[in-house]
């Protein structure tokens, strides 16, 4: 429930310069031909947190016109807005 509330806040606030996908995208590096779940940071947090832990990893592209210091700052600013939205009573 807390996880979905935070993801909803992220989707609402982070609309530019990058867009957050409507559904979480679980992807990661492979070991040989097998996908290695434990190489992702979000699952590690789930495994080492508690039921109240809200764990997310936000990946931003590095090869777009918005992949600049100012673009990344804008995403960070919007994540801050999402955090504020999440903590509202």
């Amino acid at each position: 429930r807390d996880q979905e509330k935070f993801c909803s806040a992220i989707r609402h606030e982070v609309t530019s310069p990058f867009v957050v996908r409507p559904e979480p995208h679980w992807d990661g590096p492979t070991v040989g031909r097998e996908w290695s779940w434990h190489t992702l940071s979000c699952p590690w947090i789930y495994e080492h947190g508690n039921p109240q832990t809200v764990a997310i990893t936000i990946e931003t592209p590095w090869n777009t016109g918005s992949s600049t210091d100012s673009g990344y700052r804008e995403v960070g600013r919007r994540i801050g807005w999402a955090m504020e939205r999440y903590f509202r009573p």
Side-chain angles (χ1 to χ4, degrees):
R1 185 175 149 206
D2 288 338
Q3 185 79 22
E4 180 48 43
K5 180 181 176 186
F6 188 71
C7 287
S8 176
I10 288 280
R11 285 190 296 273
H12 184 268
E13 297 293 349
V14 182
T15 56
S16 72
F18 307 109
V19 177
V20 176
R21 294 177 184 192
E23 295 298 320
H25 177 72
W26 298 98
D27 196 0
T30 57
V31 177
R33 295 184 59 167
E34 218 174 284
W35 183 61
S36 180
W37 171 261
H38 296 281
T39 60
L40 300 174
S41 57
C42 195
W44 186 94
I45 295 168
Y46 276 128
E47 291 174 350
H48 294 87
N50 60 47
Q52 292 78 38
T53 300
V54 174
I56 65 161
T57 303
I58 297 177
E59 301 280 339
T60 54
W62 58 269
N63 58 351
T64 73
S66 297
S67 301
T68 62
D69 289 347
S70 61
Y72 295 137
R73 273 193 298 275
E74 179 64 15
V75 171
R77 186 169 65 93
R78 290 173 177 269
I79 290 170
W81 290 345
M83 291 172 69
E84 186 275 332
R85 176 179 289 273
Y86 171 79
F87 286 114
R88 282 183 202 160

